[in-house]
Amino acid sequence: MRVVVEMSILVVGTVAFDSIEAPSGSVDRVLGGSASYFAVGASFFHPVQIVGVIGEDFPREHLDMFASRGIDLAGLQKEKGPTFYWRGRYHEDVNVRDTLELQLNVLTGFRPRLPESYRNAEYVFLGNIDPEMQSEVLDQLRGSRYLACDTMDHWIQGNRPGLEKVLARVETLVINDSEARLLSGENNIVRAARGILKMGPKVILIKRGEYGVLEFSDSSVFATPAYPLEEVFDPTGAGDSFAGGFMGQLARSRDHSQRGLRRAIIYGSVVASFAVEDFGLKRLDRLTPEEIESRFRQFLDLTDFHT
Ligand code: AMP
């Protein structure tokens, strides 16, 4: 008898309460965090397992939402104290935001512990979190797999040595343009990408907000626009849901060729374009697979110049 075990996508990152002020309105203490956006985005494509930490104040309804999407929560640890909290404000130009408040809370001293059932995950996304925690997850994995990671200015400035160790171990880095400049010390984005490729990753995906995504490797460059939207309600989590769609599609297709990567980049862009249409995770929560496929086809049309 042949037993087929479906391998999951594992994500480590923050599970958070976010307070967001944007030109389109504001919300207080909604569900957010890098792992939350990633997991929900990826769950449309493939089973997902979360590694992270929540506090005693984390409501049941959020756990139920994850569970209803088939997201495995065995690696979500509950600790004494309040959940990680982030407060940010977007400018009129929503590509620009300021962090107004960051309370690490239960994230301080968090030691990720992977349940046995997580250790064979084939696709692993080290979402935005302290690089030490990203490394601890890598140390607990077995066998060969597709590893990708994200980071942000907070960690580039706060724990660069730790981040460099992680970069040396991953296949793909997903990062936004200002962070790529900060990490590489180069202002020009192509030079920045070339500099980061020397730090370890074979592929770099640079997120440029409403301007789309650039992919760089030693042998390729690929560019896609973002899906043009008349109104961006809340850009929070666009990057993480992009990564979720990207990794989700890679895991679903198991196609790591340049063509496969490009398709995954478009699926990531599709998921991100929905994420920004409402506050927090609201839009992704009511998204359907049909809407994803339909917007994927619109992307083909948007970028087609062969006809
Ligand atoms: P993104 O808009 O894709 O960069 O992700 C925003 C999410 O990152 C929010 O939901 C925040 O809760 C979370 N976040 C903000 N700051 C940090 C940080 N320093 N480390 C990890 N996650 C963070």
Coordinates of all heavy atoms in Angstrom, one line a residue, residues 8-55:
S8 N 3.2 20.1 3.8 CA 2.7 21.4 4.0 C 3.7 22.5 3.7 O 4.8 22.3 3.5 CB 2.2 21.6 5.4 OG 1.1 20.8 5.7
I9 N 3.1 23.7 3.7 CA 4.0 24.9 3.7 C 4.0 25.4 5.2 O 3.0 25.5 5.8 CB 3.3 26.1 3.0 CG1 3.0 25.7 1.5 CG2 4.2 27.3 3.0 CD1 2.3 26.7 0.7
L10 N 5.2 25.5 5.7 CA 5.4 26.0 7.1 C 5.7 27.5 7.0 O 6.5 27.9 6.2 CB 6.5 25.2 7.7 CG 6.8 25.5 9.2 CD1 7.5 24.2 9.8 CD2 7.7 26.7 9.4
V11 N 5.1 28.3 7.9 CA 5.4 29.7 8.0 C 5.7 30.0 9.5 O 5.0 29.6 10.4 CB 4.3 30.6 7.5 CG1 3.0 30.4 8.1 CG2 4.8 32.1 7.6
V12 N 6.8 30.8 9.7 CA 7.0 31.3 11.0 C 6.9 32.9 10.8 O 7.4 33.4 9.8 CB 8.4 30.9 11.7 CG1 9.5 31.4 10.8 CG2 8.5 31.5 13.1
G13 N 6.3 33.5 11.8 CA 6.2 35.0 11.7 C 5.4 35.5 12.9 O 5.1 34.8 13.8
T14 N 5.0 36.8 12.7 CA 4.2 37.3 13.8 C 2.7 37.1 13.6 O 2.2 37.0 12.5 CB 4.4 38.8 14.0 OG1 4.3 39.4 12.7 CG2 5.8 39.1 14.5
V15 N 2.0 36.9 14.7 CA 0.5 36.9 14.8 C 0.2 38.1 15.7 O 0.7 38.1 16.8 CB 0.0 35.5 15.3 CG1 -1.5 35.6 15.4 CG2 0.4 34.4 14.4
A16 N -0.5 39.0 15.2 CA -0.5 40.3 15.8 C -1.9 41.0 15.9 O -2.8 40.6 15.3 CB 0.4 41.3 15.0
F17 N -1.9 42.0 16.8 CA -3.0 43.0 16.7 C -2.4 44.2 16.1 O -1.4 44.7 16.5 CB -3.5 43.3 18.1 CG -4.2 42.2 18.8 CD1 -3.9 41.9 20.1 CD2 -5.2 41.5 18.2 CE1 -4.6 40.9 20.8 CE2 -5.9 40.5 18.8 CZ -5.6 40.2 20.1
D18 N -3.1 44.7 15.1 CA -2.7 45.9 14.3 C -3.7 47.0 14.5 O -4.9 46.8 14.4 CB -2.6 45.6 12.8 CG -1.4 44.7 12.4 OD1 -0.5 44.5 13.3 OD2 -1.4 44.3 11.3
S19 N -3.2 48.2 14.7 CA -4.0 49.4 14.6 C -3.5 50.2 13.4 O -2.3 50.5 13.3 CB -3.9 50.3 15.9 OG -4.5 49.5 16.9
I20 N -4.4 50.6 12.5 CA -3.9 51.1 11.2 C -4.7 52.4 10.9 O -5.9 52.5 11.0 CB -4.2 50.1 10.1 CG1 -3.5 48.8 10.4 CG2 -3.8 50.6 8.7 CD1 -4.1 47.6 9.7
E21 N -3.9 53.4 10.6 CA -4.5 54.7 10.1 C -4.1 54.8 8.6 O -2.9 54.8 8.3 CB -4.0 55.9 10.9 CG -4.3 55.8 12.4 CD -3.5 56.9 13.1 OE1 -3.2 57.9 12.6 OE2 -3.2 56.5 14.3
A22 N -5.1 55.0 7.8 CA -4.8 55.2 6.4 C -5.7 56.3 5.8 O -6.7 56.7 6.5 CB -5.1 53.9 5.6
P23 N -5.4 56.9 4.7 CA -6.3 57.9 4.1 C -7.8 57.5 4.0 O -8.7 58.3 4.1 CB -5.7 58.2 2.8 CG -4.3 57.8 2.9 CD -4.2 56.7 3.8
S24 N -8.0 56.2 3.8 CA -9.3 55.7 3.6 C -10.1 55.4 4.9 O -11.2 55.0 4.9 CB -9.3 54.4 2.8 OG -8.4 53.5 3.4
G25 N -9.4 55.5 6.1 CA -10.0 55.3 7.4 C -9.1 54.6 8.4 O -7.9 54.6 8.1
S26 N -9.6 54.2 9.5 CA -8.7 53.6 10.5 C -9.4 52.4 11.2 O -10.6 52.4 11.3 CB -8.1 54.6 11.4 OG -9.2 55.3 12.0
V27 N -8.6 51.5 11.7 CA -9.1 50.4 12.5 C -8.2 50.2 13.7 O -7.0 50.5 13.6 CB -9.2 49.1 11.6 CG1 -10.3 49.1 10.7 CG2 -7.9 48.7 11.0
D28 N -8.8 49.6 14.7 CA -8.0 49.4 16.0 C -8.0 47.9 16.3 O -9.0 47.2 16.4 CB -8.8 50.2 17.1 CG -7.9 50.4 18.3 OD1 -6.7 50.5 18.1 OD2 -8.5 50.4 19.4
R29 N -6.8 47.4 16.6 CA -6.5 46.1 17.1 C -7.2 45.0 16.3 O -7.9 44.1 16.8 CB -7.0 46.0 18.6 CG -6.2 46.9 19.5 CD -6.5 46.8 20.9 NE -6.1 45.5 21.5 CZ -4.9 45.2 21.9 NH1 -3.9 46.1 21.8 NH2 -4.6 44.1 22.3
V30 N -7.0 45.1 15.0 CA -7.5 44.0 14.1 C -6.5 42.9 14.0 O -5.3 43.2 14.3 CB -7.9 44.5 12.7 CG1 -9.1 45.4 12.8 CG2 -6.8 45.1 12.0
L31 N -6.9 41.7 13.6 CA -5.9 40.6 13.4 C -4.9 41.0 12.3 O -5.3 41.4 11.2 CB -6.7 39.3 13.0 CG -5.8 38.1 12.7 CD1 -4.9 37.7 13.8 CD2 -6.7 37.0 12.2
G32 N -3.6 40.8 12.6 CA -2.6 41.0 11.6 C -1.4 40.2 11.9 O -1.5 39.2 12.6
G33 N -0.2 40.6 11.4 CA 1.0 39.9 11.6 C 1.4 39.2 10.3 O 0.6 38.8 9.5
S34 N 2.8 39.1 10.2 CA 3.3 38.5 9.0 C 2.8 37.1 8.7 O 2.5 36.7 7.6 CB 4.8 38.6 9.0 OG 5.4 38.0 10.1
A35 N 2.8 36.3 9.8 CA 2.4 34.9 9.6 C 0.9 34.8 9.3 O 0.5 33.9 8.5 CB 2.7 34.0 10.9
S36 N 0.1 35.7 9.8 CA -1.4 35.6 9.6 C -1.7 35.9 8.1 O -2.4 35.1 7.5 CB -2.1 36.6 10.4 OG -1.8 36.5 11.8
Y37 N -1.1 36.9 7.6 CA -1.4 37.3 6.2 C -0.8 36.2 5.3 O -1.5 35.8 4.3 CB -0.7 38.6 5.8 CG -1.5 39.8 6.3 CD1 -1.2 40.5 7.4 CD2 -2.7 40.2 5.6 CE1 -1.9 41.6 7.8 CE2 -3.4 41.3 6.0 CZ -3.0 42.0 7.1 OH -3.8 43.1 7.5
F38 N 0.4 35.7 5.6 CA 1.0 34.7 4.7 C 0.1 33.4 4.7 O -0.2 32.9 3.6 CB 2.4 34.3 5.2 CG 3.0 33.2 4.4 CD1 3.9 33.5 3.3 CD2 2.7 31.9 4.6 CE1 4.4 32.5 2.5 CE2 3.3 30.9 3.9 CZ 4.1 31.2 2.8
A39 N -0.3 33.0 5.9 CA -1.0 31.7 6.0 C -2.3 31.8 5.3 O -2.7 30.9 4.6 CB -1.2 31.4 7.5
V40 N -3.1 32.9 5.5 CA -4.4 33.0 4.8 C -4.2 33.1 3.3 O -4.9 32.4 2.5 CB -5.2 34.2 5.4 CG1 -6.4 34.4 4.6 CG2 -5.5 34.0 6.8
G41 N -3.2 33.8 2.9 CA -2.9 33.9 1.4 C -2.5 32.6 0.8 O -3.0 32.2 -0.3
A42 N -1.7 31.8 1.5 CA -1.2 30.5 1.0 C -2.3 29.5 1.0 O -2.3 28.5 0.3 CB 0.0 30.1 1.7
S43 N -3.2 29.6 2.0 CA -4.2 28.5 2.2 C -5.1 28.3 1.0 O -5.8 27.3 1.0 CB -5.0 28.8 3.5 OG -5.9 30.0 3.3
F44 N -5.2 29.3 0.1 CA -6.0 29.1 -1.1 C -5.4 28.0 -2.1 O -6.0 27.6 -3.0 CB -6.2 30.4 -1.9 CG -7.1 31.3 -1.2 CD1 -6.6 32.3 -0.3 CD2 -8.5 31.2 -1.3 CE1 -7.4 33.2 0.3 CE2 -9.3 32.1 -0.6 CZ -8.8 33.1 0.2
F45 N -4.1 27.7 -1.8 CA -3.3 26.9 -2.8 C -2.9 25.6 -2.2 O -2.8 24.6 -2.9 CB -2.0 27.7 -3.2 CG -2.3 29.0 -3.9 CD1 -2.6 30.1 -3.1 CD2 -2.3 29.1 -5.3 CE1 -2.8 31.3 -3.8 CE2 -2.6 30.3 -5.9 CZ -2.8 31.4 -5.2
H46 N -2.6 25.6 -0.9 CA -1.9 24.4 -0.3 C -2.1 24.4 1.2 O -2.2 25.5 1.8 CB -0.4 24.5 -0.6 CG 0.3 23.2 -0.6 ND1 0.2 22.3 -1.7 CD2 1.2 22.7 0.2 CE1 1.0 21.3 -1.4 NE2 1.6 21.5 -0.2
P47 N -2.0 23.3 1.9 CA -2.1 23.3 3.4 C -1.0 24.0 4.0 O 0.2 24.0 3.5 CB -2.0 21.8 3.7 CG -2.3 21.0 2.5 CD -1.9 21.9 1.3
V48 N -1.3 24.7 5.1 CA -0.3 25.6 5.8 C -0.2 25.3 7.3 O -1.2 25.0 7.9 CB -0.7 27.1 5.6 CG1 0.4 28.0 6.3 CG2 -1.0 27.5 4.2
Q49 N 1.0 25.3 7.8 CA 1.2 25.2 9.2 C 1.9 26.5 9.8 O 2.9 26.9 9.2 CB 2.2 24.0 9.4 CG 1.7 22.7 8.8 CD 2.7 21.6 9.0 OE1 3.9 21.7 8.7 NE2 2.3 20.4 9.4
I50 N 1.3 27.0 10.9 CA 1.9 28.2 11.4 C 2.7 27.9 12.6 O 2.4 27.1 13.5 CB 0.7 29.2 11.9 CG1 0.0 29.8 10.8 CG2 1.3 30.3 12.8 CD1 -0.9 30.9 11.2
V51 N 3.9 28.6 12.7 CA 4.7 28.6 13.9 C 4.7 30.1 14.4 O 5.0 31.0 13.6 CB 6.2 28.2 13.6 CG1 7.0 28.3 14.9 CG2 6.2 26.8 13.1
G52 N 4.3 30.3 15.6 CA 4.3 31.7 16.1 C 3.8 31.7 17.6 O 3.7 30.6 18.2
V53 N 3.6 32.9 18.1 CA 3.2 33.0 19.5 C 2.1 34.0 19.6 O 2.1 35.1 18.9 CB 4.4 33.4 20.4 CG1 5.0 34.7 20.0 CG2 4.1 33.4 21.8
I54 N 1.1 33.7 20.5 CA 0.0 34.6 20.8 C 0.0 34.8 22.3 O 0.5 33.9 23.1 CB -1.3 34.1 20.3 CG1 -1.6 32.6 20.8 CG2 -1.4 34.2 18.8 CD1 -3.0 32.1 20.4
G55 N -0.7 35.8 22.8 CA -0.9 36.0 24.2 C -2.2 35.6 24.7 O -3.0 35.0 23.9

